[in-house]
Amino acid sequence: MTDFLPAPGTDEHLLHHQGYRQELHRGLSLWSSFSVGFATVSPVVGIYSVMALGAMSTGPSWVWIVPLCLALQMLVALVYAELASQYPLAGGCYQWVKRLAGDRWAWFTGFMYLASALASLTTVAYLGGFWLWLFVTGTPPSANAQVASGAVLLALGLGVNLLGINPLKYFVNAGIIAEAIASIGIGVLLLLFFRNHSWSLLLEGLGNSVSGDGTYLSGFVTAMAVGGWAFLGFDACSQVSEETADARTSTPRAILRSMLLVGLTVMLTAFAVTLSFTDTAGLVAGQVVDPVTPAVVDAFGAWAERPFVGVVLVAFIACVVSVQTYIGRAVFGMARDSILPASAFLRRVDGRKVPFAAMLLCTLFASFGLALGLNATAVGTLIAFGSGGFFMVFLIVIGCALVHRLRGRWRPDAGVFNLGRWGLPVNLAAFVWLLFESVNVAWPRESLAPPGAPWFQVWAVVLVFSTLAVLGLIYMVLAKPYLRRDSSASDRG
């Protein structure tokens, strides 16, 4: 029990009402919470994830996938905003499912979320290692060098996170401002002054039909799977709710604004690069892995290459820092309910009010995962699962929200942000979208795997998710972690 009760109506009072005490520092404003979400989704990281693969699937017309996926993912973000407004707690989806569907589903959801998030952290650090090495040396890295550079990024991110929430927010804010200005500025300049094609190009598939059954429809569906990858991570805002002032109002706004602004930035860059990149046929044929840098260099000159690489590196660093931040809070949010191994250690908060033990653990696991980067097949499997796993977790959360909304056991109007009479149709549409996209992303496609990839990499999402799900269920049945409680970890009513 605490020595005093928080004043009614405050963030601390709401936290106390949910059964916890304020242990983290509420130093984030709406802007800072938005910055965490923006840095995690990251338009630069997103566009590098989808552009080449999207063009290979449907040709230049792939760009229309971006606004479509943005609109559909906004449905998910709206329901997440309702949940975050009513339950602004560290642990995010774990906490929401716990209150909607009970402890068993909550534990399983949290377990799968952590697995997907750790795979994502390893992936971002690994991909960012390429840009760090390229920026420092001017040459592409070897496999060993890229893994080592990724480890440097993880160490840098950990150092920033352990300084506390105030240094963290200034670091992320600076990175986001630089990324936003560079992304939007370059996109506008390319569109206005360096277009090499007419707008009609965006309606062409260039006869491309490399995926699926050889039809444009199959290519379009494949591009939908790729396009969804660009809009993962917006829920990071919910993980820092206990460090956000007026979280019931600020967190939903941060979720929606980060998603919308990232989406518009990705859309601008996609249109601009597609219309300015000269070797369109090479891009569609899969001969160009990175069309963005050549487009910038061709437009502005060779001098622009190194500054642009620096901008991309800043984006990856900010993304690594933000992903570490929200995974650490997710681990902390679960550990204080004593449902993770070594929970007593993982819920520890240091003098800067940082869950340092959780931060160390997630960085350590991601570092182990980097070793997979020594083998292109293994890292490809990790990247595929990192994206697909999130859609599975989205589906669980949105499905729980829909079932309990229909049963009348969840009333979103208890939160500051709610969709009113639009809540049910939005929730239903989000569920249908996620059901489709989860299957779509997991669907085994050789066209999305490297040439000559083994069968298990093509089936990576299905195999890894199924294996983790079975292991998680076995542990849940045998150890019953959802029954553990430690009253010393938090205030109980």
Side-chain angles (χ1 to χ4, degrees), residues 71-150:
L72 292 169
Q73 276 293 90
M74 278 297 295
L75 298 173
V76 182
L78 284 167
V79 180
Y80 265 55
E82 284 189 306
L83 290 162
S85 179
Q86 190 168 357
Y87 308 115
L89 302 169
C93 59
Y94 157 75
Q95 296 284 0
W96 304 339
V97 174
K98 175 183 174 181
R99 284 155 178 77
L100 293 175
D103 292 334
R104 288 181 178 87
W105 270 109
W107 186 89
F108 181 76
T109 303
F111 170 73
M112 296 308 303
Y113 181 81
L114 289 181
S116 302
L118 286 169
S120 176
L121 176 56
T122 299
T123 299
V124 174
Y126 174 77
L127 297 177
F130 174 89
W131 296 98
L132 175 60
W133 186 270
L134 183 63
F135 180 78
V136 173
T137 68
T139 59
S142 63
N144 289 343
Q146 186 164 350
V147 168
S149 298

Side-chain angles (χ1 to χ4, degrees), residues 375-382 384-385 442 444 449 452-464:
N375 183 297
T377 297
V379 77
T381 302
L382 183 71
F385 168 71
W455 69 271
F456 58 83
Q457 184 172 344
V458 178
W459 287 79
V461 178
V462 175
L463 290 175
V464 178

Side-chain angles (χ1 to χ4, degrees), residues 292-381:
V292 184
T293 305
V296 171
V297 172
D298 289 345
F300 301 103
W303 67 269
E305 182 172 4
R306 192 173 184 84
F308 183 73
V309 170
V311 169
V312 175
L313 177 60
V314 168
F316 271 97
I317 293 174
C319 189
V320 167
V321 171
S322 297
V323 174
Q324 281 178 308
T325 300
Y326 85 76
I327 297 178
R329 273 58 179 180
V331 172
F332 166 80
M334 295 177 67
R336 65 180 170 184
D337 280 352
S338 300
I339 67 169
L340 295 177
S343 286
F345 173 69
L346 293 176
R347 63 173 172 252
R348 290 183 182 178
V349 177
D350 64 15
R352 296 185 176 89
K353 297 189 176 182
V354 172
F356 71 96
M359 298 300 308
L360 288 172
L361 178 75
C362 70
T363 303
L364 185 62
F365 268 90
S367 299
F368 291 153
L370 273 179
L372 296 175
L374 298 175
N375 183 297
T377 297
V379 77
T381 302

Side-chain angles (χ1 to χ4, degrees), residues 233-485:
F234 61 88
D235 56 319
C237 306
S238 66
Q239 298 291 355
V240 294
S241 290
E242 291 181 31
E243 294 158 281
T244 304
D246 192 18
R248 287 166 291 182
T249 300
S250 297
T251 300
R253 290 178 178 175
I255 288 174
L256 298 176
R257 291 179 185 181
S258 61
M259 171 68 89
L260 185 60
L261 187 55
V262 167
L264 293 175
T265 305
V266 170
M267 198 183 313
L268 171 64
T269 306
F271 277 70
V273 173
T274 300
L275 290 172
S276 62
F277 189 67
T278 54
D279 187 13
T280 304
L283 178 62
V284 173
Q287 299 170 357
V288 181
V289 176
D290 165 27
V292 184
T293 305
V296 171
V297 172
D298 289 345
F300 301 103
W303 67 269
E305 182 172 4
R306 192 173 184 84
F308 183 73
V309 170
V311 169
V312 175
L313 177 60
V314 168
F316 271 97
I317 293 174
C319 189
V320 167
V321 171
S322 297
V323 174
Q324 281 178 308
T325 300
Y326 85 76
I327 297 178
R329 273 58 179 180
V331 172
F332 166 80
M334 295 177 67
R336 65 180 170 184
D337 280 352
S338 300
I339 67 169
L340 295 177
S343 286
F345 173 69
L346 293 176
R347 63 173 172 252
R348 290 183 182 178
V349 177
D350 64 15
R352 296 185 176 89
K353 297 189 176 182
V354 172
F356 71 96
M359 298 300 308
L360 288 172
L361 178 75
C362 70
T363 303
L364 185 62
F365 268 90
S367 299
F368 291 153
L370 273 179
L372 296 175
L374 298 175
N375 183 297
T377 297
V379 77
T381 302
L382 183 71
I383 292 172
F385 168 71
S387 58
F390 273 115
F391 279 103
M392 303 293 184
V393 173
F394 286 156
L395 181 62
I396 293 173
V397 175
I398 296 300
C400 287
L402 178 61
V403 168
H404 292 280
R405 194 194 295 265
L406 288 170
R407 291 179 176 178
R409 294 168 60 181
W410 176 42
R411 297 180 59 85
D413 54 2
V416 175
F417 174 87
N418 67 84
L419 298 172
R421 61 190 178 90
W422 289 100
L424 180 57
V426 168
N427 200 156
L428 180 59
F431 178 78
V432 173
W433 153 245
L434 288 174
L435 186 61
F436 163 79
E437 187 70 349
S438 296
V439 174
N440 193 26
V441 170
W443 198 266
R445 292 183 176 93
E446 292 185 2
S447 61
L448 295 183
W455 69 271
F456 58 83
Q457 184 172 344
V458 178
W459 287 79
V461 178
V462 175
L463 290 175
V464 178
F465 187 88
S466 299
T467 301
L468 287 173
V470 170
L471 292 175
L473 289 173
I474 292 173
Y475 178 79
M476 186 172 68
V477 171
L478 296 179
K480 295 180 172 59
Y482 55 87
L483 296 179
R484 299 173 188 168
R485 290 291 180 269

